[in-house]
Amino acid sequence: MDFSVTILGTSSAVPNSQRNPSSQVVRYNSNYFLIDCGEGTQIQLRRNKINLSKINHIFISHLHGDHVYGLFGLLSTYSMLGREKDLNIYADAKLKDLIAYHNDFFNNKISYKLIFHALKEGDTEILFEDKLLSIKMFPLKHSIATHGFVFKEKEKQRNIKKYKIEEFNISVSQINEIKNGSDLISQEGKLVLNKELTTDPEPVRSFAYCSDTAYFPNVIDEIKNVDLLYHEATFMNKDIKRAYKTLHSTAEQAASIAEISEVKNLLLGHFSTRYNNIDPLLAEAKVKFENTEIAQEGKEYQIGLDF
Ligand SMILES: [Zn+2]
Ligand SMILES: [Zn+2]
């Protein structure tokens, strides 16, 4: 099962020639999930050869322009392309009115059904779930209502040893029960324990997105042990006062959250445009948490693999 995140934007506030505003695409097999949609996101999608039509779910962390200005153009493009598939948007309720106003103002005829899921401030809630994956939102600490998202695989079935199927003449319905952990009563009436029939399943993989937020240890319960954490790192230590004032994090604070949450790998993003060189942010983070990288725009990171 492919499980990855492609980073489309790592800048905060204003776009510049080096970096784009926040956006990224999580891919789980054939499902594509867009998180945040800063200005220029549709161009970044095309640049990275991600087919726009594959995205059926868009999650907006909060209603600051650097996370949402690109959405209106993208929604309009979908209609111009004649999209027919439903599109799910998960965002603060206020965005629904703005989308309606925008479409009305520009006389946009929407060719598809837009299903709006209003996120309630402060809520922790499962937003999407299928047989293999769940997506949960949780609150962050920012100047307006803001949510993070955690993508987590469901517990997987145990692997049945093929030669045991023949040895005990196991039926199709029994195979499913055994994969779910049941023991077997053989045709001779003998109890065969599950651990004799199966091997452990593949480990469950997970990814968490925390942008924008001040240092906020309340997130630890939600992101504990994830394979990959993307956390905002707007400022360097020397600008920590500005981080407190604007409810953003320093790179070192992001690393502290990664360390306490015992995540496996940390990606830093959402950098202030005041820094031309962001290497010092990486150095400050690595003091606290070694497995840290600067998020690279256009790079696809496999969830479950170490850097
Ligand atoms: Zn931002
Ligand atoms: Zn913000």
Side-chain angles (χ1 to χ4, degrees), residues 125-240:
E125 195 188 318
I126 302 272
L127 298 176
F128 171 93
E129 200 168 20
D130 65 11
K131 275 199 283 190
L132 303 172
L133 186 75
S134 75
I135 304 171
K136 191 181 185 188
M137 72 166 189
F138 54 90
L140 297 171
K141 184 180 176 183
H142 196 38
S143 51
I144 58 169
T146 303
H147 294 97
F149 307 103
V150 60
F151 292 65
K152 194 170 188 180
E153 283 186 303
K154 297 274 183 73
E155 290 294 333
K156 296 169 190 173
Q157 288 188 315
R158 300 188 63 76
N159 298 311
I160 193 159
K161 297 173 187 166
K162 294 225 164 60
Y163 68 91
K164 293 288 180 187
I165 297 174
E166 278 180 29
E167 184 182 334
F168 292 104
N169 199 15
I170 302 171
S171 70
V172 174
S173 65
Q174 285 173 318
I175 288 174
N176 212 32
E177 288 168 12
I178 291 166
K179 282 182 171 178
N180 287 327
S182 297
D183 299 327
L184 175 74
I185 306 290
S186 72
Q187 284 162 350
E188 293 78 38
K190 186 182 136 213
L191 175 70
V192 187
L193 293 178
N194 187 282
K195 66 178 180 193
E196 195 187 317
L197 301 167
T198 63
T199 56
D200 288 340
E202 295 291 306
V204 164
R205 296 168 293 173
S206 51
F207 166 70
Y209 177 85
C210 292
S211 182
D212 302 358
T213 185
Y215 178 73
F216 191 45
N218 290 22
V219 301
I220 291 162
D221 284 347
E222 302 304 332
I223 66 172
K224 190 134 187 87
N225 299 129
V226 296
D227 292 283
L228 181 61
L229 168 65
Y230 177 96
H231 197 288
E232 75 129 287
T234 310
F235 294 110
M236 287 174 64
N237 281 341
K238 68 181 172 72
D239 295 315
I240 195 165

Side-chain angles (χ1 to χ4, degrees), residues 58 64-65 105 177 186 207 224 246 281:
I58 300 176
H64 278 157
F105 185 93
E177 288 168 12
S186 72
F207 166 70
K224 190 134 187 87
T246 55
L281 281 90

